[in-house]
Amino acid sequence: MARIALWTFDEKPGSDLAEDKVTDDGTAQHGKFQEGATTTGSGSGVFDGKNDYVEIPTDKGFDLDTGSVAITFTQNTASIGDDPWGDTAAQTLFSRDSTGFDEGGHLTIFVKSDGSVGVRHQDTESSHVFEGGDVPLGKPVTVIYAWGPSGSRLYVDGVLVDGGNQALTMGGNSEPITIGASQAQSGDGTADNLKGHFDGEIAKVAIYNEPIKPGGAPCFTHGTLILTPDGEIPIEALRVGDLVCTRDHGPQPIRWIGSRAVVLRDEPRGDDRLRPVRIVAGALGNGLPRRDLLVSRQHRMLISSRIAARMFGTPSVLGAAVKLSGLPGIFIDHGVRTVTYVHLMFDQHEIIFAEGAPTESLYLGPETLKMVPAEARQEILELFPALARGLGSPRPARPIPDGRTLKTLVARHARNKKPLLEVALAADMPAPSGRAPHSGPIAACAFVESGASCGPAARLTPPEPLRISTP
């Protein structure tokens, strides 16, 4: 087991209960909205910075010698203090704490006045403080704090910002948990005398019984328009179960969605691998994408050209966006300061349409699965147990050339000044071997150049299990 509690605050506004979404550990650690705390109704808790918070009752299951807390949030106004106590206490995200040291295990995570994230973690005699990162107001941020016998680590938007070698714990602690306020001055076993009320939205709080760290995988960015039977919809508005137009199988339901907010440094450093690739409108050919498209480096775009046909004996292949950089209008965008990456996963690897351009859904080959954070990996393996049983990798929607061969393909396109989408995306374009082409009403998915959708009236058969190819 990895994740032992998850609060996503997707209850209706005015609800009393903040539900723990992880109950397969035998417990349901539900919280209560206090003093007017509420939700947006679309997946975030709303906190006014005055006196509201969420309280999760005391539970011995949180006495973790090894563990992690992950929080995704958006701060509205800056903190006025730098410590999680006093009348000018820093705005607090998570607290299992009280006055004094007691038996140790006290933990509070907060945002300081300079926008850095602070963590105070106590043992029986002293406070250990970790800090770093940058929290821009009005932008989503993800913080992960992990501890264990080998030490502690603090990550802010995927970047390791601080850590230590102390073997800290969250055991020996009889306190409840408060989300959105600090218990650093509370009495033992009770959430009182709270300080540092958070002003903003908290989208998710998760607790794990093991250290976790950020990972990366091919994905889209917020604002990307995805073609659906109801037209093009911003990716952040899509939900699990929504239908999306696919190139080969018509409308298909989304099985899993993951997202990750990243704050990037002004100068290229260790987080440079997280910078998106910008594909300028029309850069792929045939007027696609219709608007600038931002994707992660490893996200693959469809290449459909005579050059690809000659090299691979098939009219189209998939190539990572970073490998296409250097072609006119495709480059790593160092000007982006914040970006939220979004993954879309279906019953099988699919070609979908982003800003009109054909591209891939999340492909979970062995290496990609390793890069997915533990929480998301657990969700995916529960949805697709064949992956957990090691029954091979999903069949890719199109051939995926190795890096050297793809480099040759891109070089030939550049030398001959040919677009990557040289071949028109007609409905009769053959699907790859072993995958049945679609026909009938759903074939309209392919005509993205004209802006047509695949039509809400298309009929679907029940989704089949994830198709796995074995060695």
Side-chain angles (χ1 to χ4, degrees):
M1 187 188 301
R3 189 178 61 189
I4 63 171
L6 172 66
W7 301 275
T8 57
F9 310 111
D10 53 4
E11 294 80 14
K12 294 180 179 179
S15 297
D16 294 328
L17 203 64
E19 294 186 3
D20 172 18
K21 297 301 191 294
V22 178
T23 57
D24 56 1
D25 59 351
T27 59
Q29 294 121 333
H30 300 319
K32 290 195 69 176
F33 293 100
Q34 304 282 8
E35 302 296 333
T38 186
T39 72
T40 60
S42 57
S44 288
V46 180
F47 301 84
D48 63 10
K50 298 176 182 178
N51 62 351
D52 58 4
Y53 60 101
V54 171
E55 180 177 348
I56 293 98
T58 300
D59 192 306
K60 299 301 290 183
F62 297 137
D63 290 359
L64 300 171
D65 291 335
T66 299
S68 308
V69 175
I71 308 167
T72 299
F73 65 96
T74 302
Q75 187 179 25
N76 289 339
T77 61
S79 297
I80 59 175
D82 294 325
D83 298 305
W85 62 81
D87 292 336
T88 59
Q91 292 184 29
T92 298
L93 301 166
F94 177 98
S95 187
R96 193 180 191 225
D97 208 339
S98 69
T99 186
F101 295 104
D102 299 328
E103 298 301 317
H106 292 163
L107 173 62
T108 296
I109 303 172
F110 52 96
V111 183
K112 301 176 63 176
S113 61
D114 63 357
S116 61
V117 175
V119 174
R120 187 185 79 155
H121 201 162
Q122 292 181 324
D123 57 25
T124 58
E125 298 179 345
S126 58
S127 296
H128 303 271
V129 177
F130 309 97
E131 57 188 30
D134 181 32
V135 178
L137 298 179
K139 302 290 186 180
V141 174
T142 296
V143 170
I144 296 174
Y145 174 67
W147 67 90
S150 60
S152 300
R153 298 291 184 269
L154 174 62
Y155 302 89
V156 178
D157 274 331
V159 178
L160 177 63
V161 298
D162 203 359
N165 297 321
Q166 304 89 350
L168 300 174
T169 176
M170 206 161 69
N173 187 334
S174 63
E175 325 307 344
I177 290 171
T178 52
I179 296 171
S182 170
Q183 297 182 74
Q185 292 180 255
S186 291
D188 292 340
T190 183
D192 61 6
N193 197 21
L194 300 180
K195 305 292 183 180
H197 293 274
F198 181 73
D199 179 22
E201 296 182 8
I202 298 178
K204 179 174 67 175
V205 178
I207 299 178
Y208 304 81
N209 63 3
E210 64 181 12
I212 64 169
K213 59 183 179 179
C219 40
F220 299 99
T221 63
H222 261 208
T224 301
L225 295 178
I226 303 296
L227 185 64
T228 78
D230 295 317
E232 292 183 312
I233 295 178
I235 193 168
E236 62 271 22
L238 294 173
R239 298 292 182 265
V240 170
D242 287 353
L243 296 179
V244 169
C245 292
T246 73
R247 177 65 188 85
D248 302 321
H249 303 101
Q252 291 294 313
I254 300 171
R255 292 293 304 278
W256 180 81
I257 299 176
S259 66
R260 175 189 180 192
V262 177
V263 177
L264 298 163
R265 302 175 191 267
D266 292 330
E267 297 296 330
R269 294 180 62 178
D271 62 356
D272 201 43
R273 64 185 176 84
L274 300 176
R275 294 185 185 277
V277 172
R278 181 176 294 274
I279 303 174
V280 174
L284 297 175
N286 279 299
L288 299 175
R290 288 197 292 272
R291 300 191 311 168
D292 283 14
L293 176 62
L294 283 176
V295 295
S296 65
R297 289 180 173 225
Q298 299 307 318
H299 194 95
R300 300 181 186 94
M301 305 301 297
L302 189 74
I303 302 170
S304 181
S305 68
R306 295 177 179 85
I307 294 175
R310 286 194 293 268
M311 288 185 63
F312 303 105
T314 180
S316 55
V317 296
L318 287 164
V322 69
K323 300 296 184 182
L324 310 181
S325 61
L327 290 173
I330 305 176
F331 56 92
I332 298 169
D333 194 336
H334 292 282
V336 173
R337 185 70 179 85
T338 62
V339 62
T340 299
Y341 288 118
V342 183
H343 317 279
L344 296 181
M345 191 173 180
F346 300 85
D347 280 305
Q348 56 195 328
H349 192 216
E350 299 284 4
I351 302 298
I352 63 177
F353 298 95
E355 304 296 348
T359 184
E360 68 169 347
S361 64
L362 179 61
Y363 174 66
L364 276 185
E367 294 306 313
T368 302
L369 188 59
K370 291 177 184 177
M371 291 189 293
V372 173
E375 171 197 346
R377 185 166 59 249
Q378 181 64 29
E379 291 180 8
I380 291 169
L381 293 179
E382 289 173 2
L383 283 169
F384 304 108
L387 291 173
R389 295 195 298 267
L391 299 180
S393 301
R395 178 185 297 170
R398 295 292 187 277
I400 301 173
D402 61 60
R404 178 176 297 181
T405 308
L406 183 60
K407 183 177 180 180
T408 300
L409 173 65
V410 171
R412 290 182 62 178
H413 273 272
R415 185 170 60 251
N416 293 285
K417 299 182 179 180
K418 297 295 185 181
L420 297 175
L421 289 178
E422 181 183 17
V423 176
L425 297 176
D428 59 355
M429 182 176 167
S433 176
R435 298 169 68 101
H438 61 267
S439 60
I442 60 177
C445 282
F447 293 106
V448 295
E449 296 92 340
S450 64
S453 73
C454 47
R459 294 183 176 272
L460 290 175
T461 56
E464 299 175 1
L466 181 68
R467 298 180 182 178
I468 300 293
S469 58
T470 55

